[in-house]
mmCIF file of all heavy atoms in Angstrom:
data_model
loop_
_atom_site.group_PDB
_atom_site.id
_atom_site.type_symbol
_atom_site.label_atom_id
_atom_site.label_comp_id
_atom_site.label_asym_id
_atom_site.label_seq_id
_atom_site.Cartn_x
_atom_site.Cartn_y
_atom_site.Cartn_z
ATOM 1 N N SER A 2 85.319 65.463 113.404
ATOM 2 C CA SER A 2 85.201 64.924 114.764
ATOM 3 C C SER A 2 84.223 63.745 114.806
ATOM 4 O O SER A 2 83.434 63.546 113.885
ATOM 5 C CB SER A 2 84.720 66.008 115.721
ATOM 6 O OG SER A 2 83.355 66.265 115.511
ATOM 7 N N LYS A 6 80.734 62.998 112.490
ATOM 8 C CA LYS A 6 80.484 61.749 111.756
ATOM 9 C C LYS A 6 79.150 61.148 112.182
ATOM 10 O O LYS A 6 78.353 60.719 111.361
ATOM 11 C CB LYS A 6 81.578 60.727 112.068
ATOM 12 C CG LYS A 6 82.893 60.988 111.401
ATOM 13 C CD LYS A 6 83.841 59.831 111.714
ATOM 14 C CE LYS A 6 85.245 60.117 111.227
ATOM 15 N NZ LYS A 6 86.168 59.045 111.615
ATOM 16 N N LEU A 11 73.581 59.739 111.264
ATOM 17 C CA LEU A 11 72.224 59.737 111.824
ATOM 18 C C LEU A 11 71.240 60.430 110.879
ATOM 19 O O LEU A 11 70.098 60.005 110.732
ATOM 20 C CB LEU A 11 72.202 60.424 113.191
ATOM 21 C CG LEU A 11 72.786 59.620 114.346
ATOM 22 C CD1 LEU A 11 72.732 60.423 115.632
ATOM 23 C CD2 LEU A 11 72.051 58.294 114.511
ATOM 24 N N LYS A 12 71.717 61.495 110.223
ATOM 25 C CA LYS A 12 70.878 62.217 109.267
ATOM 26 C C LYS A 12 70.491 61.295 108.113
ATOM 27 O O LYS A 12 69.338 61.257 107.683
ATOM 28 C CB LYS A 12 71.660 63.432 108.741
ATOM 29 C CG LYS A 12 70.811 64.635 108.431
ATOM 30 C CD LYS A 12 71.702 65.802 108.076
ATOM 31 C CE LYS A 12 70.912 66.850 107.300
ATOM 32 N NZ LYS A 12 71.798 67.933 106.816
ATOM 33 N N LYS A 16 66.797 59.701 107.117
ATOM 34 C CA LYS A 16 66.261 59.882 105.763
ATOM 35 C C LYS A 16 65.852 58.528 105.175
ATOM 36 O O LYS A 16 64.747 58.370 104.664
ATOM 37 C CB LYS A 16 67.328 60.548 104.881
ATOM 38 C CG LYS A 16 66.786 61.146 103.596
ATOM 39 C CD LYS A 16 67.902 61.819 102.812
ATOM 40 C CE LYS A 16 68.736 60.803 102.067
ATOM 41 N NZ LYS A 16 69.878 61.436 101.338
ATOM 42 N N ALA A 20 61.689 56.243 104.768
ATOM 43 C CA ALA A 20 61.119 55.615 103.577
ATOM 44 C C ALA A 20 60.879 54.117 103.775
ATOM 45 O O ALA A 20 60.338 53.450 102.900
ATOM 46 C CB ALA A 20 62.041 55.842 102.384
ATOM 47 N N THR A 22 59.291 50.733 105.784
ATOM 48 C CA THR A 22 58.191 50.322 106.640
ATOM 49 C C THR A 22 58.752 49.292 107.610
ATOM 50 O O THR A 22 59.809 48.700 107.359
ATOM 51 C CB THR A 22 57.040 49.699 105.808
ATOM 52 O OG1 THR A 22 57.560 48.631 105.023
ATOM 53 C CG2 THR A 22 56.409 50.709 104.902
ATOM 54 N N ALA A 23 58.080 49.109 108.733
ATOM 55 C CA ALA A 23 58.570 48.209 109.776
ATOM 56 C C ALA A 23 58.888 46.828 109.221
ATOM 57 O O ALA A 23 58.093 46.251 108.474
ATOM 58 C CB ALA A 23 57.552 48.113 110.898
ATOM 59 N N GLY A 24 60.064 46.307 109.558
ATOM 60 C CA GLY A 24 60.464 44.983 109.102
ATOM 61 C C GLY A 24 61.336 45.023 107.852
ATOM 62 O O GLY A 24 61.922 44.019 107.467
ATOM 63 N N GLU A 25 61.441 46.206 107.242
ATOM 64 C CA GLU A 25 62.249 46.362 106.026
ATOM 65 C C GLU A 25 63.680 46.758 106.358
ATOM 66 O O GLU A 25 63.943 47.369 107.392
ATOM 67 C CB GLU A 25 61.663 47.484 105.169
ATOM 68 C CG GLU A 25 60.781 47.023 104.041
ATOM 69 C CD GLU A 25 60.467 48.169 103.077
ATOM 70 O OE1 GLU A 25 60.346 49.328 103.520
ATOM 71 O OE2 GLU A 25 60.338 47.894 101.901
ATOM 72 N N GLU A 26 64.606 46.453 105.446
ATOM 73 C CA GLU A 26 65.966 46.948 105.624
ATOM 74 C C GLU A 26 66.514 47.378 104.276
ATOM 75 O O GLU A 26 66.040 46.952 103.224
ATOM 76 C CB GLU A 26 66.868 45.890 106.264
ATOM 77 C CG GLU A 26 67.114 44.678 105.409
ATOM 78 C CD GLU A 26 68.149 43.741 106.067
ATOM 79 O OE1 GLU A 26 68.758 44.113 107.078
ATOM 80 O OE2 GLU A 26 68.323 42.643 105.542
ATOM 81 N N VAL A 29 72.690 51.262 102.010
ATOM 82 C CA VAL A 29 73.034 52.512 101.333
ATOM 83 C C VAL A 29 74.533 52.771 101.491
ATOM 84 O O VAL A 29 75.218 52.076 102.227
ATOM 85 C CB VAL A 29 72.226 53.715 101.904
ATOM 86 C CG1 VAL A 29 70.741 53.549 101.635
ATOM 87 C CG2 VAL A 29 72.483 53.882 103.396
ATOM 88 N N PRO A 32 77.736 57.875 104.340
ATOM 89 C CA PRO A 32 78.156 59.240 103.996
ATOM 90 C C PRO A 32 79.517 59.616 104.584
ATOM 91 O O PRO A 32 80.107 60.612 104.191
ATOM 92 C CB PRO A 32 77.036 60.114 104.571
ATOM 93 C CG PRO A 32 76.448 59.297 105.663
ATOM 94 C CD PRO A 32 76.590 57.860 105.242
ATOM 95 N N ARG A 37 79.417 50.145 103.202
ATOM 96 C CA ARG A 37 78.014 49.738 103.152
ATOM 97 C C ARG A 37 77.350 50.005 104.498
ATOM 98 O O ARG A 37 77.766 49.456 105.522
ATOM 99 C CB ARG A 37 77.906 48.260 102.797
ATOM 100 C CG ARG A 37 78.339 47.970 101.356
ATOM 101 C CD ARG A 37 78.146 46.519 101.006
ATOM 102 N NE ARG A 37 78.911 45.646 101.917
ATOM 103 C CZ ARG A 37 78.746 44.336 101.999
ATOM 104 N NH1 ARG A 37 77.855 43.750 101.236
ATOM 105 N NH2 ARG A 37 79.466 43.619 102.836
ATOM 106 N N ALA A 43 62.904 47.961 112.773
ATOM 107 C CA ALA A 43 62.420 46.792 113.503
ATOM 108 C C ALA A 43 60.926 46.569 113.318
ATOM 109 O O ALA A 43 60.135 47.507 113.382
ATOM 110 C CB ALA A 43 62.742 46.946 114.986
ATOM 111 N N ALA A 44 60.575 45.310 113.077
ATOM 112 C CA ALA A 44 59.175 44.967 112.842
ATOM 113 C C ALA A 44 58.323 45.135 114.097
ATOM 114 O O ALA A 44 57.152 45.490 114.021
ATOM 115 C CB ALA A 44 59.074 43.529 112.341
ATOM 116 N N HIS A 48 61.574 50.895 115.495
ATOM 117 C CA HIS A 48 62.814 51.611 115.778
ATOM 118 C C HIS A 48 63.863 51.297 114.707
ATOM 119 O O HIS A 48 63.865 50.230 114.116
ATOM 120 C CB HIS A 48 63.358 51.232 117.160
ATOM 121 C CG HIS A 48 62.581 51.855 118.272
ATOM 122 N ND1 HIS A 48 63.036 51.886 119.576
ATOM 123 C CD2 HIS A 48 61.371 52.477 118.287
ATOM 124 C CE1 HIS A 48 62.139 52.501 120.337
ATOM 125 N NE2 HIS A 48 61.121 52.859 119.579
ATOM 126 N N HIS A 50 67.705 50.679 113.258
ATOM 127 C CA HIS A 50 69.009 50.142 113.624
ATOM 128 C C HIS A 50 69.899 50.314 112.410
ATOM 129 O O HIS A 50 69.478 50.050 111.293
ATOM 130 C CB HIS A 50 68.880 48.665 113.999
ATOM 131 C CG HIS A 50 70.192 47.999 114.235
ATOM 132 N ND1 HIS A 50 70.565 46.853 113.582
ATOM 133 C CD2 HIS A 50 71.226 48.335 115.035
ATOM 134 C CE1 HIS A 50 71.790 46.514 113.989
ATOM 135 N NE2 HIS A 50 72.213 47.393 114.865
ATOM 136 N N GLU A 52 74.082 49.976 110.831
ATOM 137 C CA GLU A 52 75.437 49.500 111.051
ATOM 138 C C GLU A 52 76.228 49.626 109.754
ATOM 139 O O GLU A 52 75.750 49.271 108.689
ATOM 140 C CB GLU A 52 75.373 48.042 111.509
ATOM 141 C CG GLU A 52 76.662 47.577 112.119
ATOM 142 C CD GLU A 52 76.508 46.211 112.794
ATOM 143 O OE1 GLU A 52 75.367 45.737 112.957
ATOM 144 O OE2 GLU A 52 77.552 45.650 113.130
ATOM 145 N N ASP A 54 79.704 48.612 107.637
ATOM 146 C CA ASP A 54 80.781 47.622 107.653
ATOM 147 C C ASP A 54 82.120 48.259 107.287
ATOM 148 O O ASP A 54 83.143 47.613 107.255
ATOM 149 C CB ASP A 54 80.454 46.420 106.769
ATOM 150 C CG ASP A 54 80.514 46.727 105.278
ATOM 151 O OD1 ASP A 54 80.714 47.903 104.916
ATOM 152 O OD2 ASP A 54 80.357 45.793 104.490
ATOM 153 N N ALA A 59 77.722 51.973 114.510
ATOM 154 C CA ALA A 59 76.490 51.247 114.792
ATOM 155 C C ALA A 59 75.601 52.093 115.679
ATOM 156 O O ALA A 59 76.065 52.743 116.612
ATOM 157 C CB ALA A 59 76.793 49.922 115.473
ATOM 158 N N VAL A 60 74.324 52.105 115.347
ATOM 159 C CA VAL A 60 73.385 52.857 116.177
ATOM 160 C C VAL A 60 72.064 52.117 116.283
ATOM 161 O O VAL A 60 71.623 51.447 115.359
ATOM 162 C CB VAL A 60 73.152 54.289 115.630
ATOM 163 C CG1 VAL A 60 72.457 54.244 114.278
ATOM 164 C CG2 VAL A 60 72.321 55.103 116.613
ATOM 165 N N GLU A 62 68.232 53.045 117.691
ATOM 166 C CA GLU A 62 67.388 54.108 118.253
ATOM 167 C C GLU A 62 66.431 53.551 119.278
ATOM 168 O O GLU A 62 65.907 52.468 119.105
ATOM 169 C CB GLU A 62 66.605 54.801 117.143
ATOM 170 C CG GLU A 62 67.424 55.830 116.437
ATOM 171 C CD GLU A 62 66.573 56.683 115.492
ATOM 172 O OE1 GLU A 62 65.430 56.321 115.188
ATOM 173 O OE2 GLU A 62 67.095 57.718 115.058
#
Side-chain angles (χ1 to χ4, degrees):
S2 74
K6 285 185 188 176
L11 285 179
K12 213 174 160 186
K16 197 178 79 183
T22 55
E25 261 191 326
E26 66 174 352
V29 295
R37 292 183 301 167
H48 285 194
H50 173 234
E52 196 170 349
D54 72 355
V60 66
E62 278 190 346

